[in-house]
Amino acid sequence: MRRTKNFFIFLFLSYSAIAQQQANLNEKDYLLRYKKAVQLYADQKFNEARDLLAPLTNKKYNNAVSPYAHYYFASSSYKLNKYYDARIMLRQLLERFPGWSEIDDAYYLYGNVAFAENKPDEALQALSRVTSKSWRTSIENMEYAYLSKIKDLSQLKQLYQKSPDNPVLAQLIIDAIQRSKNATRDDLELSDRLTNQFSQRNAGSNSPKKTRQNDDSDAINVAVMLPFRLFEFDASKATRANQYVYDLYAGMKLAQEKLASEQINLNLFAFDIEKDAKQMNLVVANRGFGKVDVIIGPLYPEVNKIVNTFAKSNDAVQVHPLSNNLQLVSDDKSAFLASPSYETQSQKALEYIVNEKSARSVSIYYGNTRKDSTFAYIYRDKAVAKGLSVVTIRRFNTNDDIDTKRKADHIFVSCSDPTLGPKIISALDKKKVSAPVVAASSAFDFESSSLSIFNRELFLIQLDYINRDKEEVRNFRSAFINAQNISPSYYAYWGYDMVLFYGRMLRMGKNRFRANLDAIDYTQGYTLEGFDYTNRSHENKIVPIVKYEDGKFVEVAR
């Protein structure tokens, strides 16, 4: 405890010292610096925002903007997973400006930070100080998202003793006792007591409660519209051209079982859909199809238009499981990308390479497909918008395509042919171009490629990154092998995570869906890297960037 306290004091004094050195700004310069920092924050440049905001939090300043400077510094720290820094600054904010008009925002952020640090009792205390009723739904969503991961009934009881008026804790305790096969008499009495205590309150509120029972009338109905191609199915074949579809669905089935264990009743309905618009019209015209809550797919534009129109008219959520095309969701409140767009991938990669390698220019090489060139030119546009100069952008065919006349601070490679990535790396080496390389992981075949090509400064945008040290990965792998007698592919993990995520987001109904998405980023409890739809986003903003270190690929940013 003493060591932790000393570390806390050290961090606090460090920031105080930095701020003291720069605490000589007049009011005009202070405001200009603050406005620039807030713009950086809005552009998700959180490191730069922190650097500008740190001196603005010095105790010398006591103007109307000072508490905002504290808040945005803390929020930037939270976004960067620098939870200690965020807590330090929030404590300073709460101590110095207890009458701040936006104090509820500070308490809410403090609760988020404390939950992220696995300090649920501290989080609950902070959230209990939020006075505005407008925060109620967001707070309960946050509390449920974190507290529902606690499976130890005794820990829930201990938290409840400190927060006896918390309806989320009460409902979780009731659920845990009702699920238990070994509930004691005392537990059952506690369950009855809490049910009676909160039944009146829940009758007129949006408090989390068991709204979905084990009957199909209240189930979450998910339509999986993928090209299964059952007409050409041959069980004797070990692999198929569309094997990824079967892997996706097998993962979804395991997610359905997992959700059932969490008292979430979800139905999966599989539809063999390719490009036939007539068939698609017949499906959506079926009276029973109107009960669908979530549609995963389809993959082709001919039928997607029909499904999209249906989703808008019937308040259904449409999930594009594999696409990175931002245009699919740009003007559509009902549609979501499960994966990040090329725009977001480019933005996250550029933020990393600029911050870590001080890159100010780029050479871009791409492969022969339309997808390759699309990604390359989006990366170029994002680089230019960020102030980088583009030395060259061209399709790679031979070593002669590597530009050596003008040196770039980094290279970007976009190609979906896994044989092309090693060729470009080899060409760069032969041309003695040693700049760091950012590449789409699809440019490499990790099974057959020599690991020596990964030993240089090569950073991969790898959406299919699987951290095999994660407990969730080990558990899923074991369950999948038991069910299918084969090891899971990436698509099996992806199908599992998608259904698990959207099932959890919809457990309290569609009216809470958007609030659940905005509550936090959901990176825990999933086999892959999780989901982030905060700030009203309609695309998952998690972008794993990995590097080969010490004999394995490790995530260096997301």
Side-chain angles (χ1 to χ4, degrees), residues 30-43:
Y30 185 100
L31 289 175
L32 288 173
R33 191 183 186 100
Y34 169 77
K35 289 179 180 179
K36 184 176 180 180
V38 172
Q39 184 58 55
L40 288 169
Y41 178 90
D43 293 337

Side-chain angles (χ1 to χ4, degrees), residues 57 126 143-144 270 374:
T57 63
E143 289 175 341
Y144 188 88
T374 297

Side-chain angles (χ1 to χ4, degrees), residues 156-172:
L156 290 173
K157 289 179 181 178
Q158 290 173 5
L159 290 171
Y160 184 72
Q161 287 176 356
K162 298 178 181 179
S163 303
D165 293 324
N166 189 292
V168 176
L169 268 176
Q171 187 62 55
L172 289 171

Side-chain angles (χ1 to χ4, degrees), residues 132-319:
S132 174
K133 292 182 179 180
S134 64
W135 284 97
R136 184 172 180 179
T137 298
S138 297
I139 288 173
E140 289 181 353
N141 286 333
M142 184 202 302
E143 289 175 341
Y144 188 88
Y146 282 106
L147 296 174
S148 62
K149 298 172 185 176
I150 300 175
K151 305 304 179 185
D152 184 356
L153 179 58
S154 62
Q155 185 179 355
L156 290 173
K157 289 179 181 178
Q158 290 173 5
L159 290 171
Y160 184 72
Q161 287 176 356
K162 298 178 181 179
S163 303
D165 293 324
N166 189 292
V168 176
L169 268 176
Q171 187 62 55
L172 289 171
I173 291 173
I174 293 169
D175 290 347
I177 292 173
Q178 292 180 354
R179 286 197 305 266
S180 176
K181 297 179 180 179
N182 303 308
T184 66
R185 182 175 179 178
D186 289 343
D187 286 342
L188 293 173
E189 289 179 353
L190 173 62
S191 176
D192 290 341
R193 190 163 63 250
L194 292 177
T195 300
N196 293 331
Q197 179 182 345
F198 285 91
S199 59
Q200 190 70 28
R201 184 182 306 181
N202 286 344
S205 74
N206 291 322
S207 298
K209 48 187 175 290
K210 192 180 291 185
T211 57
R212 297 195 178 273
Q213 308 297 328
N214 290 325
D215 62 272
D216 284 346
S217 63
D218 285 328
I220 302 169
N221 294 316
V222 179
V224 183
M225 313 192 96
L226 297 174
F228 289 93
R229 297 177 187 168
L230 295 176
F231 61 89
E232 62 182 36
F233 180 83
D234 185 350
S236 64
K237 291 183 179 180
T239 59
R240 311 170 187 87
N242 65 332
Q243 182 62 42
Y244 71 95
V245 172
Y246 288 89
D247 290 348
L248 274 168
Y249 192 67
M252 293 176 185
K253 294 292 289 183
L254 287 179
Q256 182 184 29
E257 295 177 12
K258 173 67 173 175
L259 290 171
S261 72
E262 299 175 6
Q263 305 299 305
I264 302 175
N265 190 16
L266 181 142
N267 295 322
L268 284 175
F269 301 99
F271 296 85
D272 190 2
I273 300 295
E274 288 198 86
K275 302 178 182 180
D276 191 338
K278 183 178 180 180
Q279 178 198 14
M280 189 72 258
N281 279 317
L282 290 174
V283 171
V284 300
N286 187 288
R287 183 179 300 176
F289 197 77
K291 296 181 180 179
V292 165
D293 300 299
V294 181
I295 302 170
I296 298 179
L299 303 187
Y300 301 106
E302 297 90 339
V303 289
N304 176 65
K305 294 178 182 178
I306 299 169
V307 171
N308 186 253
T309 300
F310 170 88
K312 290 178 179 177
S313 302
N314 291 269
D315 192 28
V317 175
Q318 185 184 10
V319 180

Side-chain angles (χ1 to χ4, degrees), residues 29-74:
D29 290 339
Y30 185 100
L31 289 175
L32 288 173
R33 191 183 186 100
Y34 169 77
K35 289 179 180 179
K36 184 176 180 180
V38 172
Q39 184 58 55
L40 288 169
Y41 178 90
D43 293 337
Q44 299 185 26
K45 299 176 181 178
F46 303 119
N47 275 313
E48 294 95 324
R50 274 167 42 101
D51 290 343
L52 285 178
L53 289 166
L56 305 187
T57 63
N58 188 275
K59 291 184 178 181
K60 175 180 179 178
Y61 299 116
N62 191 27
N63 55 53
V65 178
S66 294
Y68 291 93
H70 283 70
Y71 177 82
Y72 280 111
F73 181 93

Side-chain angles (χ1 to χ4, degrees), residues 30 56-71 89-107:
Y30 185 100
L56 305 187
T57 63
N58 188 275
K59 291 184 178 181
K60 175 180 179 178
Y61 299 116
N62 191 27
N63 55 53
V65 178
S66 294
Y68 291 93
H70 283 70
Y71 177 82
M89 193 56 67
L90 285 169
R91 285 184 176 180
Q92 181 171 303
L93 166 59
L94 296 171
E95 290 171 2
R96 290 187 58 197
F97 305 99
W100 183 40
S101 61
E102 309 296 332
I103 200 71
D104 281 348
D105 294 61
Y107 281 122

Side-chain angles (χ1 to χ4, degrees), residues 17 110 371 397 447 499:
Y110 196 105
K371 183 184 296 185
N397 294 302
E447 300 295 329
V499 169

